[in-house]
Amino acid sequence: MNWNIEEEGYDKKNIEFFGSKFCIGNGYYGYRGSLEEYTKEQLTACTLSEIYDDKGNGWRELVNVQNPLYTVIKYKNTPLTVLESQIKSHKQSLNIKNGVHTRCTEFITSDNKIITVESQKIASIDNKNLLVMKYCITANEDMDIEITTKIDEDIWDINGPHFSKSEKYYNQDILTVKSITIEKGNAVAVSTRIKCSDDRCSVATCEDNLSRKILVKVQKGIPFYFDKFAVICKDTDCRNVCNDSIRICQDAYEQGFDNLIKNNNEKWAKRWDKFDVNIEGDDLAALSIRYSIYLLLISAPFHTDKVAIPARGLSGQVYKGAMFWDTEIYMLQLFAYSYPDVAKNLVMYRINNLQGALKKAKEYGYDGAFYPWESQETGEEGCTHYNLVDIFTGRKMRTYFRDKQIHISADVVYGIKTYMDITGDKDILLEGGAEVILECARFFYSYSYYKKSKNRYELLDVTCADEYHERVNNNAYTNYMVKITLECAVYTLTYLEKNYPDEYLHIIDKLNYEDDIRHIREMNDLLYLPIPNEDGIIEQFDGYFKQEDLSIDELYKRIIKPNEYLGSPVGLAVNTQVIKQADVILMLTILRDRFSREIKHDNWEYYEPRTEHGSSLSACVYALLAAEIGKVDWAYKYFMKTGTIDLQGAYKLYLGDLYIGGTHPAANGGTWQVAVLGFGGLHLKGDSVELTPRLPEKWNSLSYKFTVKNNTFSVNIDKRQIIIEADKNNKNVIDFQVYEKQFSCEANEIKKINYEFKGE
Amino acid sequence: MNWNIEEEGYDKKNIEFFGSKFCIGNGYYGYRGSLEEYTKEQLTACTLSEIYDDKGNGWRELVNVQNPLYTVIKYKNTPLTVLESQIKSHKQSLNIKNGVHTRCTEFITSDNKIITVESQKIASIDNKNLLVMKYCITANEDMDIEITTKIDEDIWDINGPHFSKSEKYYNQDILTVKSITIEKGNAVAVSTRIKCSDDRCSVATCEDNLSRKILVKVQKGIPFYFDKFAVICKDTDCRNVCNDSIRICQDAYEQGFDNLIKNNNEKWAKRWDKFDVNIEGDDLAALSIRYSIYLLLISAPFHTDKVAIPARGLSGQVYKGAMFWDTEIYMLQLFAYSYPDVAKNLVMYRINNLQGALKKAKEYGYDGAFYPWESQETGEEGCTHYNLVDIFTGRKMRTYFRDKQIHISADVVYGIKTYMDITGDKDILLEGGAEVILECARFFYSYSYYKKSKNRYELLDVTCADEYHERVNNNAYTNYMVKITLECAVYTLTYLEKNYPDEYLHIIDKLNYEDDIRHIREMNDLLYLPIPNEDGIIEQFDGYFKQEDLSIDELYKRIIKPNEYLGSPVGLAVNTQVIKQADVILMLTILRDRFSREIKHDNWEYYEPRTEHGSSLSACVYALLAAEIGKVDWAYKYFMKTGTIDLQGAYKLYLGDLYIGGTHPAANGGTWQVAVLGFGGLHLKGDSVELTPRLPEKWNSLSYKFTVKNNTFSVNIDKRQIIIEADKNNKNVIDFQVYEKQFSCEANEIKKINYEFKGE
């Protein structure tokens, strides 16, 4: 079984991509897969979650701290770095089983000696403040080497700098820098201490109080190493970031590298026990799904419900570190089925930030909660009005991502519903969930218009996933998702009134919701839901079918300048049926029980050739629906596209001069969804579990675990048999439907079901 | 008194402009002010009203016929033309009192002789088919001259050719060409016959059967001339265009030039008696107002109710010869106050074309009547989806003039109301007017959305006069004009039910209007009408105040390419408060009795500096409201801008390669409105006439006539006194309010009222 990502040789053109590919992290911070001698020029970053800053120009982004692991060696006064020195060999690898990033480089000196540098790094998931490195030097002759290791204050920022001031402390051999952010005055501290392998060296602290110089008499063939214990503390969870970081650093120093690694490995093993998905017979697919899960595990907020997962994880500051609907639609199910605590954090993040959504609605003159398109730690809208530059005029273009993506509020409600459905935890309603649901429903009522002549509510002037077509009326995805919101609101009212009458009255009173009950019930009855036309196709929005219908290739032929933006207001796709990404198809994957296989099939066939996949959120959706309707070859093709995105880096790194690379959590979550929900065929229908697996030709077997309402099952699927194994601690009997067969499964039971999948 | 437009000297750069400036016409056709030797290269055109053609590419436009007056002389085998020959003097003039266009050119021959060519042309208003020319040659020595005069088949078309075939006939010395249009097979014929002044010449008909060659032995100082009697017949009013044109031509020939001129002059005198407006003390203003009226008189459909007045009159095919809301908003009052028969034709044109409006509404999925933005003879929408070209990419841009200018239906209803209010002719309701009003109201109900949370109807996604901002919500002009429509509909129902119960029942039944009565009454009660904000300003549309507020100069500084389109979708004005033309201000001039002087004043002050006047429909509106609120200096400035537009040609002739020049009937009508309604202060309030004159400093006096409900009054206003003289044939006593004074006025009465105007 392959858990290792490796790259041999060195090529500067991969610097940016590998920074993301070899990223480590623990949800508290992300540390890019940079080499120790890299500086900000190579996009080195230690990106903090939760801490955002606006240096004063309206662009808020996650804060990067000083790189505590910067290290470079000198031989005869010449630095040895992959950027400038002669190299005999170079290898970089990441073990995704335990999150260890290693590098090994053999440098050739000017006098033809060989110096080997090896390092290992972990972002501890056992102690979220810890970042630990072992740095090891071996030479093929005796020699003097000078090592400089420091906390690099020269921070890479997209829109920085973000610190108004930094102070340095030297204490018990621990170097500390404490910094204060500009906008909100958040305090963060970085401490480091080193421990050398033996006494062949002398260590001196430099005047800058951040660097140490180690002079080593290396002996031929005998490795010299030092361990660096770095600690990052933020005032989101530390009372005194300085004291805490020094204390934790000292503690780590005392535990030592091997113990820290051991503890970290144990934690990773436990985590994989919950999350692992295994595929036999297809190594790349197996690695892709595991790597996708790894990337989510290093970004997810295991420790807090104050943030969700940013659009580029913690691989940098791209997209402002903002959290989009990606979390609810693409990532939440993985956590809800595998680790409900994190799912709850993700849901609570939205609940905690209801104020931001209320504020945004008010800003636009609406009632209720209008959740932001780009959400940050405050829950306020982080998106600006002008988000693109016209390539022909150099002018900023007004976009309506901020103003018109009302579906986010519905996605948030859908997230709460998903969490409740899978975990069975309806208490979330009493923890603020009910208020979110009711305020979102209220928002939609206030946003909607009633068409008297048609006796229906409509949702006008909206933007959805297909951002090539902004400001459309009655977008199918939006309307159906709003329907879910209204149903949830009606359900919530009924549920609370029946089960928690006091809380019900309290909430109605607190929200002043008396009139709204009538409103949302009426809107729930009368909301316009676009139905399939005579060919079975659901129109993406009013008038979509009237747009020019041409192939994507024909559209591309009209391009007159590379990197033209194809979308609104005047891009080439705007007046055509070419769409950016899954929209109706996404709706069909979410509302799978409302539409027949035939409708799904017809819509997939219609929209697939018209979809440009100009977003990493698209391919997995086409894969998921293709798997569901039995188009397994197509599903596999799109699955591999999604699953390998961060392994193979087939994405755009720059938009103009702006770096937009990094990892793609939505695609990572999508990869899991296709594997487990698509090929694995897992689907929750009411209280029973449906399993309708459809394995790709190449796969011998697929196995995964899932937890439904606190009951955990292991599933192993091969081409002929499905084995379901109920965990011994399960409390409930769960009903299953596996193809035509229905049965119940209690703790410790093992069920083996033969099946035959016939394809499309 | 100056009735003459004159230009001396010759400059090729004026060719296009003078073609419009010296235009003659009679509503049946327009004949550009070209010189006889001009061909299509100089944009010579004889443009027919009523006949439109689409050669097959979707661009329908008015049809130009063969130029029947082409004439060129040769001396010693060399043509003498202003384009190529040496000229001693050249003068072109137009007498707007009787519509006579003259030219006089002294050519210098290669051997230094002087040949003088003089011509006179009239488009007869006594016989609409007639176009007559006298062409006269005088030389300063005896010589042989060859004259070629022909029907020039080489037609200037913007989107032609428009004839599928042409046949030529030679009959009784009359040359005739009959042509058939491509799209609808309309037949048109052009006949000519010439009569020479004496027998110094020989006349031969050329083989093409359209040209005649006249060889003249000119004697020193003795003019030789020929008269050319040209006839244009269309199958819209002629059974057999060939026979008719030959017959009329023969008849004209027999009457002779002098009689035709005499009859024409008499008719013009009668017309001016109805229409004249005189200004003493300001020659340019006097000429401007008269020239404006002249331009409308030569374009207006005196003879038919099948068409209205195209956007460029009959000065060519520009804007497809389409008829816009310009007629109802800018021209109708002039005719209703001066010559109700033409006003009725204009109104009946819309009534006759209800089917086109019903069809357009249906095409967009609405009920009722959605009148076209660009209307032609069928009343169907002539506007296309792509009307502009992006100057940066060369791509066609999607515009929403066609789709979203719903205000046209309201303007049509306002036109009927205007006609009824001024003429008192409510029978128009029974002649189809009621159906138009009711179908337009029904359209608005079907277009509108009801906002439940605000208990109001709204009009969303509309475009109004300010086309820089397309697709906006609740445009103030649109909403208020729709309010007028609904009020008219309610009034119509009440009026008919009370006075014509049978017809009422018939109409309700025919239109299946039973439910609609309730709908439009409710919408009339609950339509959202934007009210002034705390600063007294009415927001042009929802969110307008939130747009960037910068000066027009600042906006201009952002221009990076000449002739950039400033409007939607991505022009520089789109996200700013800079507007193309009067919009809220137009609404305030129309709904003058609903708003206080203070509100008008505040809005004028707010919107004026933000208005770019990118349309010839703008300046007159600012003038009109400025006059009404006593800002006479500003009113005068804008009045002169509007009034001189076609005199001085301060407008754009080309958009890219596309000729868009011609006369500006809306501005011409606007000039009249500012003079009579603005400075003259004429306003109908219910059944009584308000006169609140405010003369510009420079003017000694202003006089005009008006007819209200068949009662005609002459008004003479000087700086201190207003003299009102009732026509002896008046049947009714009319109530007047002149500033604070109220009185009645019966037939033959003369009232003299002293007043003092104090200015703003």
Side-chain angles (χ1 to χ4, degrees), chain A residues 363-367 386 392-393 395 398 400 445-454 457-458 460-461 471 473-474 522 546 558-560 564 569-570 572 575, chain B residues 363 365-367 386 392-393 395 397-398 400 445-454 457-458 460-461 471 473-474 522 546 558-560 564 569-570 572 575:
Chain A
E363 177 196 333
Y364 283 100
Y366 300 112
D367 304 326
Y386 291 80
F392 294 100
T393 61
R395 289 177 185 146
R398 181 69 163 92
Y400 290 85
Y445 178 79
S446 123
Y447 193 88
S448 74
Y449 280 91
Y450 177 64
K451 190 77 180 175
K452 286 224 174 188
S453 56
K454 295 176 177 167
Y457 285 83
E458 299 188 19
L460 308 176
D461 199 4
R471 310 195 67 174
N473 293 341
N474 294 311
E522 181 180 297
K546 285 193 190 150
R558 297 180 182 175
I559 289 176
I560 53 184
E564 269 189 41
V570 283
L572 283 169
N575 297 302
Chain B
E363 178 197 332
Y366 300 112
D367 304 325
Y386 291 81
F392 294 101
T393 61
R395 290 179 185 144
M397 286 196 290
R398 181 69 164 90
Y400 289 86
Y445 177 78
S446 125
Y447 192 89
S448 74
Y449 280 91
Y450 177 64
K451 191 78 180 174
K452 286 222 174 190
S453 56
K454 295 175 178 169
Y457 285 84
E458 299 189 19
L460 307 176
D461 199 5
R471 309 194 68 174
N473 293 341
N474 294 311
E522 182 180 298
K546 284 191 190 151
R558 297 179 182 176
I559 289 176
I560 53 183
E564 269 189 43
V570 284
L572 283 169
N575 297 302

Side-chain angles (χ1 to χ4, degrees), chain B residues 299-316:
Chain B
S299 307
F302 278 78
H303 67 291
T304 184
D305 61 6
K306 298 291 180 289
V307 287
I309 300 171
R312 287 286 183 266
L314 296 174
S315 67

Side-chain angles (χ1 to χ4, degrees), chain B residues 91-228:
Chain B
K91 195 168 88 173
Q92 205 174 343
S93 68
L94 175 68
N95 186 336
I96 58 174
K97 192 162 191 171
N98 51 16
V100 179
H101 175 215
T102 59
R103 73 87 63 95
C104 179
T105 310
E106 291 178 292
F107 291 103
I108 304 169
T109 65
S110 54
D111 51 2
N112 270 319
K113 295 172 185 169
I114 305 291
I115 300 172
T116 305
V117 168
E118 289 170 282
S119 74
Q120 287 179 59
K121 296 191 200 95
I122 59 154
S124 172
I125 64 168
D126 184 47
N127 180 340
K128 66 185 187 308
N129 305 93
L130 264 184
L131 170 65
V132 187
M133 169 172 81
K134 183 182 283 294
Y135 192 91
C136 182
I137 302 164
T138 318
N140 67 348
E141 292 191 22
D142 290 357
M143 59 176 72
D144 288 331
I145 284 185
E146 179 188 316
I147 309 174
T148 300
T149 186
K150 68 173 176 181
I151 301 174
D152 186 359
E153 280 195 299
D154 202 11
I155 300 170
W156 171 48
D157 275 318
I158 292 180
N159 249 282
H162 290 296
F163 295 136
S164 59
K165 63 172 182 178
S166 293
E167 286 167 6
K168 296 160 195 170
Y169 303 92
Y170 179 72
N171 185 320
Q172 297 170 296
D173 286 331
I174 294 172
L175 304 182
T176 299
V177 56
K178 174 190 165 187
S179 310
I180 306 295
T181 62
I182 292 171
E183 181 191 355
K184 293 167 71 180
N186 279 110
V188 296
V190 176
S191 296
T192 61
R193 183 166 183 179
I194 59 170
K195 185 189 269 180
C196 294
S197 55
D198 51 64
D199 56 6
R200 277 174 288 173
C201 63
S202 76
V203 179
T205 305
C206 304
E207 277 181 13
D208 66 3
N209 253 347
L210 292 176
S211 317
R212 295 193 189 262
K213 201 158 277 175
I214 310 172
L215 300 173
V216 194
K217 290 195 172 301
V218 176
Q219 291 163 275
K220 177 181 174 184
I222 302 179
F224 171 84
Y225 64 84
F226 70 93
D227 299 329
K228 192 165 194 177

Side-chain angles (χ1 to χ4, degrees), chain B residues 527-539:
Chain B
L527 176 64
Y528 169 53
L529 296 173
I531 57 168
N533 69 5
E534 57 202 6
D535 298 322
I537 316 303
I538 296 170
E539 193 171 31

